[in-house]
Amino acid sequence: MAAHQEKKPSEERKHKSTQNGTQTSQVQWGRAWEVDWFSLASILFLLMFAPLITYYFIMSCDQYQCSLIDPLVDLLTGNKHLSDIWNKTPGLTYRAAGIYTLWVAFQVVLYVFLPDFCHKLLPGYVGGVQEGAVTPAGVVNKYEINGLQAWIITHVLWFANAYYFHCFSPTIIFDNWIPLLWCANILGYAVSTFAMIKGYFFPTNAKDCKFTSNFFYDYMMGIEFNPRIGKWFDFKLFFNGRPGIVAWTLINLSYAAKQQELYGQVTNSMILVNVLQGIYVLDFFWNEAWYLKTIDICHDHFGWYLGWGDCVWLPYLYTLQGLYLVYHPVQLCTANAVGILMLGLAGYYIFRMTNHQKDLFRRTNGNCKIWGKKPEYIECSYMSVDGTKYYSKLLTSGFWGWARHFNYTGDLMGSLAYCLACGFEHILPYFYIVYMAILLTHRCIRDEHRCYSKYGKDWKRYTATVPYRLIPGIF
């Protein structure tokens, strides 16, 4: 479930070859062809319980002031039955359906029909038509990078309405939060199901499809590598970046507006959450072209994991801190607020500079300086399914010499800062750091398994040179 990404640790160039012996390892590039029992059990668990976990967290705030324990106590003691909780839960409304339909349609219009102009106005920003990484079948897709533009237009209209037009209340998202949850679930399941059917009957590129003969795994992890409608509507890029991540900052603004409405002020903790998460969102869109080289685009197929995850899991669980602060406003002392801000900014600096070093190394083919020195790297190669041989360079200098996924370390520092802004009265806001630690650790292992399958003995040389995954000297 996307929004936190791992950059492919390589610089790639192409060289034609027909060495069939090396193609064997390429079979494992991307998601699996076969499913072991543990993977199947994990997938069944997520399919069954991820929607319930999302509902439970949102319901706990709506009915129990964000307590995760009180609903269980009520059920176990017989004070309430499941039907009582369900009957108090707001249902799908025409208003919420209309809001959500207009929202998604507006983002589709901005994505498909409005070519990027920001790259012509903003120095250093890379937008417009960009090429993605080579797919396992040897295809290089082109993308219209216009996420920053969509974010700016959306937020300009949001603030224009809030201060001038007053067509709707800035609290509209919070006020319809649970009915919008049902809309997001409908879209998430619909697009995931459509993507699976499309993979079977009319794939964009049949050579980039993978089938395991296990329905649940294929539904969860996806069949098509880059499902598209027409030339430009790419499912992975759209659903990873829009509508969920564009909405992230709007959701937080709606929470802040609700706090102002209820208490007559916006607390410094709410401001911290809005600022720190806003920096992350803006960073995502400023570097959207770089995102084309991340694990979500380069390795993951498009299934329920990305489709439902980006529609439901991301906007609902990544914004728990702001939701919590609506019910429990926290005014931090100056020292704590400054400390949390510094932690969040330090985490962002590590996250951004680590990725910048990798991107600089990739763009210059290693002809650059990192920390004032010529970068060190390991040469490696791999084969695509069409017999084309590609050469890569795995960077071992700078932050990438400290740990193989040091950008994740910065990500975790930022995630912890979001949670600390909420104080220690409830555990709900801390779900995010626990989830991110599990997610990113799993991604480390998953990505390294893929890289080993892809690069073989060259990957062993790399891990011997950079032995730690996240924390130098520890893990």
Side-chain angles (χ1 to χ4, degrees):
M1 300 170 192
H4 296 261
Q5 306 87 27
E6 168 70 352
K7 186 74 162 55
K8 281 179 61 184
S10 63
E11 162 60 28
E12 300 174 351
R13 62 189 188 278
K14 184 165 65 175
H15 177 73
K16 287 290 183 181
S17 174
T18 55
Q19 299 174 11
N20 293 330
T22 59
Q23 293 187 27
T24 309
S25 65
Q26 175 56 31
V27 172
Q28 293 302 321
W29 182 17
R31 47 148 279 197
W33 288 98
E34 297 179 356
V35 186
D36 57 65
W37 68 269
F38 180 78
S39 296
L40 180 58
S42 300
I43 281 163
L44 291 174
F45 176 85
L46 287 173
L47 285 170
M48 287 188 292
F49 290 104
L52 293 177
I53 290 170
T54 307
Y55 168 74
Y56 185 82
F57 275 71
I58 305 305
M59 176 277 299
S60 295
C61 283
D62 182 57
Q63 298 184 30
Y64 289 90
Q65 293 291 302
C66 296
S67 172
L68 296 179
I69 298 174
D70 287 353
L72 295 176
V73 172
D74 270 359
L75 291 172
L76 292 174
T77 58
N79 288 339
K80 284 190 178 180
H81 298 91
L82 284 174
S83 59
D84 299 324
I85 293 175
W86 180 253
N87 290 335
K88 283 189 65 178
T89 302
L92 177 64
T93 64
Y94 287 111
R95 178 174 171 78
I99 293 169
Y100 197 77
T101 301
L102 287 173
W103 166 251
V104 175
F106 181 58
Q107 292 305 314
V108 170
V109 169
L110 293 179
Y111 176 65
V112 176
F113 299 106
L114 196 61
D116 184 74
F117 58 79
C118 284
H119 69 283
K120 299 178 180 179
L121 304 174
L122 301 174
Y125 172 67
V126 179
V129 178
Q130 301 292 327
E131 288 188 347
V134 61
T135 73
V139 176
V140 178
N141 290 309
K142 290 186 177 182
Y143 299 83
E144 176 67 42
I145 300 300
N146 59 4
L148 181 63
Q149 173 179 280
W151 186 90
I152 291 172
I153 292 172
T154 301
H155 285 71
V156 166
L157 292 175
W158 174 273
F159 282 109
N161 172 77
Y163 288 99
Y164 298 105
F165 301 120
H166 307 294
C167 296
F168 55 84
S169 169
T171 65
I172 188 172
I173 299 175
F174 177 87
D175 294 338
N176 294 274
W177 198 220
I178 293 181
L180 287 171
L181 173 63
W182 310 132
C183 299
N185 269 281
I186 291 170
L187 178 62
Y189 278 97
V191 73
S192 304
T193 303
F194 175 78
M196 186 174 192
I197 294 171
K198 183 178 181 299
Y200 273 103
F201 297 105
F202 48 101
T204 302
N205 189 321
K207 291 183 179 180
D208 272 330
C209 293
K210 278 190 176 181
F211 302 89
T212 64
S213 74
N214 185 292
F215 171 84
F216 297 106
Y217 187 89
D218 288 346
Y219 185 71
M220 171 80 166
M221 301 307 297
I223 293 172
E224 275 201 87
F225 195 70
N226 285 109
R228 289 188 166 200
I229 294 177
K231 183 178 180 181
W232 295 112
F233 190 85
D234 184 90
F235 279 60
K236 277 203 289 190
L237 186 61
F238 178 78
F239 283 100
N240 270 298
R242 279 77 60 83
I245 296 185
V246 174
W248 189 342
T249 39
L250 291 184
I251 293 166
N252 281 339
L253 287 171
S254 186
Y255 292 156
K258 193 66 180 182
Q259 198 181 68
Q260 175 70 38
E261 178 185 286
L262 291 174
Y263 310 108
Q265 67 169 342
V266 178
T267 61
N268 58 5
S269 57
M270 179 69 84
I271 294 171
L272 274 174
V273 169
N274 271 263
V275 169
L276 292 175
Q277 294 188 347
I279 290 172
Y280 181 87
V281 169
L282 273 174
D283 177 89
F284 174 87
F285 287 118
W286 183 270
N287 296 283
E288 191 177 17
W290 160 85
Y291 177 69
L292 299 179
K293 310 295 182 182
T294 62
I295 190 172
D296 288 339
I297 300 294
C298 294
H299 281 299
D300 288 342
H301 291 235
F302 186 85
W304 186 88
Y305 176 78
L306 290 179
W308 181 87
D310 290 325
C311 289
V312 181
W313 187 270
L314 187 156
Y316 276 84
L317 295 190
Y318 285 26
T319 60
L320 280 176
Q321 290 77 33
L323 180 63
Y324 172 84
L325 290 172
V326 173
Y327 292 94
H328 299 275
V330 175
Q331 186 68 26
L332 299 164
C333 70
T334 302
N336 288 346
V338 171
I340 291 169
L341 177 63
M342 291 301 101
L343 175 64
L345 293 178
Y348 171 73
Y349 175 80
I350 292 172
F351 170 80
R352 174 45 41 216
M353 289 307 298
T354 305
N355 287 322
H356 171 71
Q357 289 176 357
K358 181 62 67 178
D359 190 54
L360 176 65
F361 179 75
R362 178 184 63 82
R363 286 188 287 106
T364 62
N365 194 26
N367 297 315
C368 61
K369 287 188 177 182
I370 293 177
W371 289 353
K373 299 178 181 179
K374 186 177 176 64
E376 297 179 0
Y377 56 86
I378 290 175
E379 290 268 10
C380 59
S381 62
Y382 64 92
M383 299 286 288
S384 65
V385 293
D386 66 355
T388 302
K389 189 172 186 178
Y390 291 86
Y391 291 92
S392 299
K393 295 175 181 177
L394 304 179
L395 179 62
T396 59
S397 291
F399 283 124
W400 297 94
W402 288 13
R404 300 194 292 270
H405 308 272
F406 204 63
N407 53 337
Y408 285 175
T409 306
D411 216 349
L412 289 171
M413 291 170 63
S415 301
L416 179 60
Y418 310 157
C419 301
L420 290 174
C422 298
F424 300 99
E425 188 176 339
H426 286 274
I427 62 173
L428 180 140
Y430 289 86
F431 168 81
Y432 187 71
I433 182 61
V434 173
Y435 163 72
M436 288 303 300
I438 295 171
L439 172 72
L440 297 182
T441 301
H442 174 260
R443 278 208 165 186
C444 288
I445 298 169
R446 182 173 63 132
D447 186 49
E448 293 194 2
H449 174 73
R450 288 169 168 170
C451 287
Y452 176 70
S453 298
K454 182 177 177 180
Y455 298 121
K457 65 180 184 298
D458 292 330
W459 184 254
K460 284 188 174 181
R461 290 167 49 219
Y462 173 65
T463 56
T465 304
V466 186
Y468 298 104
R469 287 189 170 111
L470 283 173
I471 305 173
I474 298 176
F475 175 70

